[in-house]
Amino acid sequence: MRSKFTWMLTLCFVFFVQIGFAQTKQLSGVVRTEFGDPIPGASVLLVGTNEGTETNVNGNYSLNVKEGDRIRVVFEGYKTVTIRVSESNILNVMMIEEDPFALEEIVVDTYRTTAKEEVATAVSSVTSKTIEGRPNASVIQTLQGQVPGLNIATGSGQPGSSNTQVVLRGIGSINGSIEPLYVIDDVPMSSSRFRSLNPNDIERIDVLKDAGATAVYGNRGANGVIVITTKRGSFESDLSVRYVGTTGVSSIQKNKYNLMSTAEYDDFLNQARADYPRAGFRALNDAQRAINTSWTDVFFNDAISQSHTLTFSAGAKNLASFTSIGYSDFEGILIGTGLQRFNVRSNVDGKNNSGKLNYGLSFNANYSKSDMENSAGTNAVNQNYFLGAFQALPYLNPDEYLGTGKSAVDLFNRYGVAGGMPYMLLDKRRTYLFSQNELKMLVNGNVKYKLSDQFTVANHTGIDYQSINQNSTTHYDAFNELYFAVGGQEYFGRASDIFEERMIFNSTTSLRYENTWNELHKVTAGAYLEYVKAHFKSRSINKRGFDPIFWSDGGSTGWINPAENYQLYAPTGAMGVSNAGLFSYFGVASYDYDRRYGLDATIRRDASFRFANDNRWGTFWSVAGRWNIDNEAFMEDSAFNTLKLRGSYGVSGNQDILDTGLFGAAQLFQTQYSSGVVYNQETGLFVSSLPNPQLQWEEISQANIGLDFGVWNDRLRGSVDVYKKQTDELYLSRPVSAINGSATIAANYGSMKNEGIELNIAGDIIRDDKTRLTLHLNGAYNKNTVLDIPSEEGFFWGGGLTAYREGSMIGELYMPEFMGINPDNGNMTFRTKDGGITEDPTDADNQWLEKSAFPIYQGGFGLDFEHKGWFLTANFTYALDVWRYDNEYYFFTAPTFVGENNLSNDMRDYWTPDNRDATFPALAGSNFANASGSSFYLQDASYLRLRYLSVGYNFKKKDIDFMKLTGLRVYAQAENLHTWSKWRGWDAESNRTVDYGQYPTPKTVSFGVEVQF
Amino acid sequence: MKKIFFSVALAATMLTACSDAYEIEQPGIVTEEAAVFRTPADIGKGIRTIYGLFPRETEISFTSFFTDELGIGKNNSGQGVNDGSYTFLLQAGTGAPQAIWGGYYGSVNRLNRIEHRILEMLETASNADKRLLNRHLAHVYGLRAFCHYKLFSFFTPDYTNPDGLSVIKFHFLQTDDYNNFVERSTVKEIVEFIESDIQKVRNLGGVDDQGLGSGYASMPFIESIVIKLNAMLQTDQSYAKLEDAFNRLMNPPAIDPNDPDAISIPPKYLDGAELETIFTATPFDGGEAIFKLNRTSTDGGTTSGIGLSWHSARFGEGAYMEMGRSLYNELDKLDPSQQGAVYDSIRKDGRYRLTVHGNSKVAPNYASMGAEEYRDEDLLFIGKYPGDIPNRPLMANLWEFRFTDMLLALAEKRAHEGNLTGNVAVDDYSNVESIIFNIRASRNFEDPYGGIPVTMPTDFSSKQAAFARILEERRVEFAFEGHRYLDMKRLGTRAGSPGFVRDPQDCLSTGACSLDPTSHRLTMPIPRSEMIANPRMVQNPGY
């Protein structure tokens, strides 16, 4: 029973007192916090026996031991301490609060909660301390740099944007989803949309990395699993009320494009005119010379954010509850964007007196309203605000726009498309609203009944409901309405409304068995059934033509009846329905011998609605083993208090083969026909999708070997993992002959692998009663290799900047390689396929550059410092060996844009007969068309970033007693404070290979307070 | 233990009851051909789809950029320049070859499916349905011949070598055997295949537009394929076939003896004023009209259509691309009394007024202007597609076959056989000069029926001169109609043409001033997607 006893302790945080009697001496001591406060009620256990005691109100304990025994001290919220008994009869123990960078004591997945000691798989955990109070709208962005092997690249500064790419241990698929599975309180999430979730409600996040941990998720676990657990109340506890509030200011980060001022532009035009006889640019007039507009300041501002969370937690004997109410308001740095969010969460847990029946309910309702821009990354000069902010000419005056659609049309006519761009965008800002309201409800109930000492039957059932209402309105007096008006149009203004509902029902039923023999052999096993059914519905309506008398912004009032002019004013609409489902049964089993050796095995059968016949079912499995070396007798005198060797191997599957989420890519195994208006306003019938009856799961097999260690009572601690992950049956766009009626068909073909090393290490440089200084570092190296692709030549290039080939990395940049400016004529030169030099490269001359936009090395490091209640946290993240194409820079340096948009001063160094050693080609060079898409604009985007810095003070309890508070903490923090990178743009971090006109992520300075009553 | 057994029993029940989670038929998805194409009317809807697949916008846009039809517009910020379209960049990865190759083979894929389904249905159809199905079958073969003719014209390196490589002969049902790799057939094989499809059309009683107008295939459409195909082949035999087809075009037989309504009217070229109307939303649909692709007020978005290739939102405004100065100068010559003057609609040749937009601002002294001034003061807007389709400012119908095109093909035959000049008179097509005379006379805006051209070229002294005159006439007649690229390929060398030549003002910043008519780039590359996918495919020379 011994091992089961401790297992129960750590599992349930329920503390039994079980006192045993033995021989030899009596050991006594005091258990204190690191600040010297005594800890009453801590369990003091004699390792290897079932004897133990607990500390009294003063933190004192006494226990009969013999020299050489080890005692283990356990207290909730603190790190378990194991110490060897020496000659002395007194042994005082200092306990340190659990800290987010240390190894956690338990690991949670949807199906099992396991003591850290018994975990045989590669799992990283992050707790609320890291997540709470950060000025990020999305919890995922907070995880960056915290978990080795987890690469997070945020592609948009829109508050709460889901444009964040999360990749665990390298790209696992080419066309399929590469995102991990997210599970919140046992409910698998429909997507990585986190804007509606309040990060302050999250208790812990477990990142499951190797197959041993993920195979149990079978159909969706192939890219790793991120398990999010929300806060809950505990039984028999007094009401605790807590408030966390932050407020901050965000601003745009700096760039290194070296853009021209009006004076510089004028100077450049005068210089360039002689060298560039193009029908292009005009000289500035005196009025223009007097203007010097920073268009970035016109479109961006310092954005205020605030966030408030109030939580109530209380527990009676058989009932515990946790309730949280949150409100946040994040302004975006782009004027007109932002996110408002309201959350309510309530968790209730109950049990009967015998503890045999447990049940719980989580209810989570989130409502958010996002005001968004919707054209980032496009080249639409009348839609994409970032083009106006970044590219607009400095000698144009924003005040020329008079706030009417007509004035924007006039300015467009005066300055043309490129010059008129900022005015069109200012007009859009005035006349266009685009917002998304999201209601997200996660409801999850669970019930667990102990049939006997060995058997437990349980069910949890959850619903993930999400509705999105997207609303856009264009004012009747908008440039885009007036300029694009058609003949006979009398009424203007547009409104569109899209409504989408997703409901995912998820149910898991399990029977679990657990038994221990001779206090040495522990077996746990479980059999599970999982059922997922999901429904999607959408409808939309578009309407043009509103009577200005009755106009209201966003109100869609003043509809002009289509009878007036059917072609112009009739609304259009659409509706859609899709269904999806998955069904699985699976088993897990674990065996432990004396807490020294452990073996886990899982096997899972999955059926997906995406596949047919023989391919519908997939079988996934894993085995994992561990050796807790620290529990071996020969380790008793070593400095290691933790030393564990882990190994696992398994196969999991990816059914999201087209990265379309739960609903897309349905019935691709069959020929599909459609009907639609095809020609001359007549309806046609046609084949709309070619079949692939052989369609099947992507299979990812992964081997992992890891070592967890803790030395000198965990003063130095960490883990190392080595893995090899291979994806087979890769779902690729297989090129097919045009006679098939399509250029490509998606098919399972090819394989690739990711190999890597992850390191996580933390050390307490100072650890005493008053001061603690912890340094921590994590890093990951990942090498991706394409093994087999559907092409005889061993490579595939579908056009564009990247391609893949056997033996090299995915997303490898493949383009003409710039070899310098020809000093004789100022043309650009490129490497030929034979290694020579050419001014006119063809496709055949494209070069494999052995570079990609996916970092080879990435991770984070930082420090935690605490001294008498003061604390300082600094977190750096880095990504190395990342290359991206700087399309922004192209626009700032291409000759065709002279006189069209702002330019970089770098461009002054262009070739002329007198400047043969130039960076840029001759302005009138004949082959600049080749520069676009060549390595000339490739840029090293490696970066080191001070991701997070926090300074604060934790008030001592005695200092705040007079306010009737039990806790008070104030802090100041900064996100993205500084970045070191060769990348010129506003944001070195991106999830794209090519960046152009995107919403950069901001830097944020904020202040926070936590109050506990 | 009872409880355990109960749980196991419950689990077993759930296992079998849960197949609804993965056996999901999405609502409304139809996967069987027989369930889609049930009646002759359904077959008709299947055929109509094909017209929507033809990549005519791509052909016209590509041709205008890649030849000497365009110049860089006042509002250009790199459009068409940065991507190399204007600078004669043509590679296997360029979009146009992919769109043309994929568009026409995608069409044939569907046509072959429909053919297969018709043959299946014919086995059990009623007599009434059989008649309808056979009519559809003729339509299918006609469109299949058209697709192969288009592919042949763009991707065949040498039309005149019967054993040279041409395109894939696609005469079979292709559904889901993706490992079926087909090699290129020879010129001879493709020509025979097109001819056999056309023979099938005739055997089935022909194809007619069913009163729907020139937006659909008809017998003149079929004869036009024969004429244009044989013009490319350039042999005595092919030119004989060309003239036969031309005669059938002029004197059409009744196409269906059982259907007294189905009689074709001979086409005829229009006068200058009427010519303008065929580019409007509701064209005068007779005479010149043989085959066009209709574009309607519900096609595309608000700003879409062929005009978007050159203009930003409206015709005659904010142009990224304007008419090339060298083309303008050719149009300018058509009325010597106004040559060199500013824009004015009193120009007597209808083609000037049709092609040059009224908003244009012509600078007679453009050649001596500085670059900036030329850009701002010499504005040559393209007026050919006025875009008056309701709600679609840039949308226009796209002509594929016009009668004048056929007449000039006959002129190529006349040049080939040496009938360069002779009796020059209205309705006399016996020599090159007279054919051009007929066209020019009808284009005279002031006196369309008087049989008097505004002006006539004079040099018909040699075959080469005659071919040169035909090429020149085609340049002004079919500007921006997607012909110039293939015209240069077919005629350039025989006409002794220098190829595509831009005015020096139009190539100052790019250096892309001309392209020789012998360039390999006058044949399109086999698109990269096909080269990757099909191991039996051979690339065209030079790519």
Side-chain angles (χ1 to χ4, degrees), chain A residues 861-926:
Chain A
F861 58 88
L863 63 86
D864 285 291
F865 178 67
E866 285 180 42
H867 179 69
K868 289 180 175 176
W870 289 96
F871 61 90
L872 166 76
T873 300
N875 243 317
F876 294 83
T877 60
Y878 62 88
L880 302 177
D881 221 342
V882 194
W883 293 81
R884 289 194 288 124
Y885 184 86
D886 194 348
N887 204 26
E888 216 89 64
Y889 196 51
Y890 173 75
F891 274 76
F892 295 138
T893 55
T896 41
F897 300 123
V898 176
E900 300 288 335
N901 53 241
N902 202 357
L903 302 168
S904 168
N905 277 304
D906 298 357
M907 196 186 173
R908 287 164 173 268
D909 185 22
Y910 63 81
W911 184 94
T912 63
D914 303 326
N915 181 24
R916 290 168 183 274
D917 180 25
T919 317
F920 288 89
L923 292 180
S926 63

Side-chain angles (χ1 to χ4, degrees), chain B residues 209-413:
Chain B
D209 62 16
Q210 315 208 10
L212 294 170
S214 57
Y216 296 85
S218 58
M219 281 321 282
F221 163 84
I222 296 292
E223 302 303 351
S224 299
I225 297 171
V226 177
I227 291 168
K228 296 287 286 179
L229 175 69
N230 284 297
M232 288 188 275
L233 303 179
Q234 302 167 31
T235 63
D236 295 348
Q237 192 193 8
S238 75
Y239 278 123
K241 288 179 185 170
L242 187 160
E243 188 152 12
D244 287 348
F246 185 82
N247 290 334
R248 281 195 298 274
L249 197 61
M250 295 297 286
N251 306 293
I255 56 169
D256 185 348
N258 301 318
D259 183 354
D261 298 332
I263 292 181
S264 293
I265 303 152
K268 182 117 174 71
Y269 42 71
L270 302 173
D271 67 47
E274 288 165 335
L275 184 71
E276 282 184 36
T277 72
I278 73 167
F279 288 92
T280 59
T282 47
F284 178 81
D285 207 14
E288 181 83 14
I290 297 177
F291 180 60
K292 68 177 182 304
L293 292 173
N294 289 341
R295 293 295 179 257
T296 67
S297 59
T298 50
D299 285 330
T302 314
T303 47
S304 55
I306 187 61
L308 196 61
S309 301
W310 313 304
H311 302 279
S312 63
R314 275 182 279 209
F315 281 100
E317 280 182 31
Y320 303 131
M321 301 305 291
E322 292 167 16
M323 185 183 298
R325 239 303 168 172
S326 64
L327 171 60
Y328 178 85
N329 291 345
E330 293 299 310
L331 289 161
D332 195 35
K333 283 185 205 161
L334 293 175
D335 184 353
S337 68
Q338 297 291 320
Q339 192 174 357
V342 296
Y343 177 87
D344 199 319
S345 62
I346 61 167
R347 304 256 178 170
K348 289 190 200 116
D349 193 293
R351 294 172 295 195
Y352 178 94
R353 298 160 43 128
L354 173 64
T355 315
V356 185
H357 194 278
N359 283 359
S360 297
K361 195 170 148 190
V362 177
N365 62 333
Y366 80 94
S368 58
M369 282 178 160
E372 271 172 61
E373 201 186 352
Y374 172 67
R375 166 186 150 142
D376 290 351
E377 302 302 327
D378 193 50
L379 304 179
L380 307 174
F381 297 124
I382 297 153
K384 196 153 214 171
Y385 302 91
D388 56 0
I389 287 176
N391 305 335
R392 293 292 182 273
L394 299 174
M395 193 66 76
N397 296 329
L398 306 172
W399 284 99
E400 179 71 52
F401 293 139
R402 296 207 270 122
F403 178 68
T404 307
D405 190 8
M406 305 307 139
L407 198 52
L408 283 166
L410 183 68
E412 289 172 34
K413 180 189 189 246

Side-chain angles (χ1 to χ4, degrees), chain A residues 273 277 279-281 531 568 579 581 667 679 681-682 691 734 737-740 745 797 799 842-843 890 896-897, chain B residues 20-21 26 30-31 49 77 82 91 109 170 174 178-179 215-216 294 297-298 313 371-372 375 391 508 528 530 532:
Chain A
R273 185 166 289 106
F281 46 88
Y531 173 94
L568 283 172
N579 303 310
Q667 271 176 266
Y679 177 68
Q681 292 181 327
E682 291 190 273
R734 178 187 154 182
S737 172
I739 60 170
N740 295 291
I745 170 156
W797 180 46
T842 66
D843 284 355
Y890 173 75
T896 41
F897 300 123
Chain B
D20 73 306
Q26 298 299 329
V30 180
T31 59
T49 304
S77 328
N82 290 335
Q91 301 195 333
N109 175 286
F170 189 9
Q174 174 71 20
Y178 306 116
N179 289 323
Y216 296 85
N294 289 341
S297 59
T298 50
E372 271 172 61
R375 166 186 150 142
N391 305 335
L508 266 183
R528 186 195 306 127
E530 185 73 32
I532 295 170

Side-chain angles (χ1 to χ4, degrees), chain A residues 671 673 687 689-691 740-741, chain B residues 33 37 43 108-118 172-176:
Chain A
T671 310
Y673 294 86
V687 174
S689 171
L690 296 176
N740 295 291
Chain B
E33 187 177 56
F37 298 112
I43 294 286
V108 181
N109 175 286
R110 286 159 179 83
L111 288 168
N112 288 343
R113 288 170 189 258
I114 295 168
E115 177 203 15
H116 174 259
R117 179 65 189 144
I118 292 174
F172 49 89
L173 179 68
Q174 174 71 20
T175 55
D176 58 359

